[in-house]
Amino acid sequence: MFNFFQRKKTEPAVLPMKVDIHCHVVPGVDDGAPTVDVALELVKRMKGMGLTKIIASPHVTQDTFENTAETLDPALDSLRDAVAAAGLDIEIDRSAEYRIDDFFMQQLKEGNIKLLPDRHILVENSFIQEPWNLEKTLFDLKVKGYKPILAHPERYLYYHQGKMARYKQLHDIGTLFQVNMLSIAGAYGKPEKEIALKLLDNGYVDFIGTDLHNMRHIEILEQYLASREYSKIRAKLEASAKNDERFGG
């Protein structure tokens, strides 16, 4: 008889997807988790956000992070071992976040690319300016059977000036967009958040990634997932994100 007066249980504060395709938890290979211990703690808390699978995306960038399988796979194995030893029931794999530059083109030519399932490939622009040959590169990737996903398009400030025009052009030619949850949470600033939400409203968000690098990012997301603002857009995010259906929940 007292059930009427009991508080209604709220849904857990979880991410709008179960598979994360963009994060930097492979230890010691880029500007993400520096050690296995830090990476393990990040994974524990990501699991607490509802993730069942993490496809990490270490940076592959000319001059700064010229990573290859020889540097990335042993580091991934060390994280997998730590996750298994901790008894965490979460799948850990990797692809990479490939900056469109000369190093990427060489690695592509040599067949040294680690793809997401079904030949999807996560690529990013420079933050300074759009690659001069972006559309040709995207076209060539598609001709070769790849499915390019542009990482965090909302973070390229040079696209903001034209409002949504360049985003529409790129999306209309078949470029898939992956937006960061951290952008939606306001971690990078107001302009990035506004554009991320506009991309969502315009139906341009194909995938969502955390882009987690560190404990500060985890804390920002945990707070945002518990917010009233997130509860209002969670259903729209879940409907937009194709992570789970494409890459396995």
Side-chain angles (χ1 to χ4, degrees):
M1 63 180 286
F2 298 105
N3 287 345
F4 179 80
F5 298 100
Q6 292 176 354
R7 291 183 64 187
K8 184 179 179 180
K9 290 184 179 179
T10 58
E11 293 185 15
V14 297
L15 290 161
M17 71 289 188
K18 294 181 179 178
V19 181
D20 189 8
I21 64 168
H22 187 172
C23 62
H24 298 269
V25 297
V26 177
V29 297
D30 61 8
D31 59 347
T35 66
V36 173
D37 288 343
V38 172
L40 180 61
E41 181 61 24
L42 290 172
V43 170
K44 286 179 181 178
R45 292 170 73 168
M46 293 168 80
K47 177 174 167 52
M49 295 178 182
L51 293 178
T52 61
K53 183 176 182 179
I54 294 172
I55 307 178
S57 54
H59 289 291
V60 175
T61 310
Q62 186 171 349
D63 297 330
T64 52
F65 302 114
E66 294 188 347
N67 283 309
T68 63
E70 286 70 26
T71 57
L72 297 177
D73 288 343
L76 176 66
D77 289 341
S78 68
L79 176 57
R80 282 174 164 167
D81 290 344
V83 167
L88 294 179
D89 183 18
I90 186 168
E91 185 178 350
I92 306 291
D93 203 348
R94 78 157 184 90
S95 58
E97 180 183 11
Y98 293 100
R99 176 72 58 85
I100 297 176
D101 56 26
D102 290 342
F103 184 73
F104 166 64
M105 301 309 295
Q106 185 62 34
Q107 293 299 300
L108 187 67
K109 182 179 179 180
E110 295 175 1
N112 296 330
I113 300 297
K114 183 71 162 63
L115 299 173
L116 287 158
D118 195 27
R119 296 185 67 78
H120 289 81
I121 182 169
L122 186 68
V123 297
E124 71 164 348
N125 289 356
S126 163
F127 286 97
I128 299 173
Q129 62 183 21
E130 182 183 272
W132 67 271
N133 58 344
L134 178 61
E135 289 191 33
K136 183 179 187 306
T137 299
L138 294 171
F139 176 79
D140 289 345
L141 286 171
K142 285 181 279 189
V143 166
K144 294 174 182 177
Y146 299 114
K147 300 173 183 178
I149 303 172
L150 184 61
H152 45 58
E154 74 281 1
R155 296 190 65 196
Y156 307 126
L157 298 181
Y158 43 82
Y159 287 161
H160 294 195
Q161 304 306 314
K163 298 187 177 179
M164 301 304 292
R166 186 55 171 157
Y167 292 117
K168 184 179 188 307
Q169 289 174 345
L170 291 173
H171 205 259
D172 283 353
I173 64 172
T175 308
L176 301 168
F177 285 174
Q178 174 264 303
V179 165
N180 285 356
M181 274 302 301
L182 282 165
S183 296
I184 294 170
Y188 308 114
K190 186 176 180 180
E192 290 85 349
K193 178 170 184 168
E194 289 179 348
I195 291 295
L197 292 175
K198 284 183 180 179
L199 291 171
L200 181 65
D201 289 341
N202 280 273
Y204 295 161
V205 176
D206 301 291
F207 303 100
I208 297 171
T210 62
D211 203 4
L212 282 166
H213 285 67
N214 50 53
M215 292 299 177
R216 175 179 167 272
H217 285 168
I218 279 281
E219 291 166 0
I220 290 171
L221 276 186
E222 287 174 342
Q223 291 175 14
Y224 185 70
L225 295 183
S227 71
R228 188 172 299 176
E229 178 182 303
Y230 174 64
S231 68
K232 292 179 179 179
I233 66 169
R234 177 176 165 181
K236 184 180 287 188
L237 290 167
E238 290 174 342
S240 296
K242 302 177 181 68
N243 301 42
D244 300 347
E245 65 182 73
R246 295 283 182 94
F247 307 126

